[in-house]
Amino acid sequence: MTIAADLPVATRRSSDLSKHSAEVFAEAEDHPVTVTRRDGEALVLMSQREAEGRARLLNFAAQLITVTLDDRGSLAERMSKAFPWMLALSPADRESCAQDLVDAARASFSTDQPHRAIAELTSWKETATAVAAGLSSGSAGLEWLDDDETVERP
């Protein structure tokens, strides 16, 4: 699987970029656009958000590869070395977190959607931060909401 091969969703000529720049830029905000050139290699135009998401996903993938190369301990123990914030979670939550992160990474790579893995990583990290700060399901006044429950805006 190659991420770079899947980047371009639309193709435009370099003349489109000069003649219809607003249209091409608007398109690049939605998805990467390949700009072909007669005098050189094609270029890919994408939003900063898209580029940063891909960079974060590749960084996350590098950390996961490092974890998989180490064969000492369980997946959760190995991932806790790469992501020390996981140590704030209970052992059971570390196991869930490790598996959820691997599953989200696989989904992100197979669908070329970096936000899936990054959202899962951020969610678990924020949970660990909250636990480290003293919040837990037993905390007074804390009520966990079910996923299907709709909450109105304040």
Side-chain angles (χ1 to χ4, degrees):
M1 171 177 59
T2 60
I3 294 176
D6 294 336
L7 278 178
V9 175
T11 303
R12 297 295 204 118
R13 295 183 307 257
S14 60
S15 60
D16 292 338
L17 188 56
S18 60
K19 294 176 185 174
H20 310 287
S21 59
E23 182 181 314
V24 175
F25 289 145
E27 191 173 354
E29 286 183 19
D30 293 334
H31 52 78
V33 175
T34 299
V35 179
T36 59
R37 305 179 307 161
R38 284 183 286 172
D39 61 344
E41 189 175 353
L43 302 174
V44 177
L45 181 64
M46 68 177 71
S47 69
Q48 180 80 25
R49 172 187 38 79
E50 180 83 21
E52 287 173 357
R54 290 174 187 280
R56 289 180 70 191
L57 182 61
L58 286 174
N59 183 37
F60 181 47
Q63 291 173 306
L64 286 180
I65 290 169
T66 301
V67 166
T68 60
L69 293 176
D70 183 3
D71 60 355
R72 292 165 288 159
S74 68
L75 176 63
E77 291 168 342
R78 296 187 320 256
M79 286 188 73
S80 294
K81 291 177 189 172
F83 305 105
W85 50 262
M86 286 179 64
L87 296 170
L89 300 171
S90 70
D93 282 346
R94 274 185 236 144
E95 292 291 333
S96 294
C97 174
Q99 192 59 56
D100 288 353
L101 291 177
V102 169
D103 292 345
R106 291 178 68 206
S108 284
F109 278 114
S110 66
T111 61
D112 197 27
Q113 298 294 316
H115 66 275
R116 174 71 179 100
I118 300 307
E120 193 71 30
L121 180 66
T122 302
S123 177
W124 273 109
K125 187 174 181 180
E126 292 298 324
T127 298
T129 301
V131 169
L135 292 176
S136 67
S137 58
S139 296
L142 186 63
E143 178 184 348
W144 294 99
L145 300 176
D146 293 329
D147 288 340
D148 59 353
E149 200 170 326
T150 303
V151 179
E152 292 184 31
R153 293 183 66 106

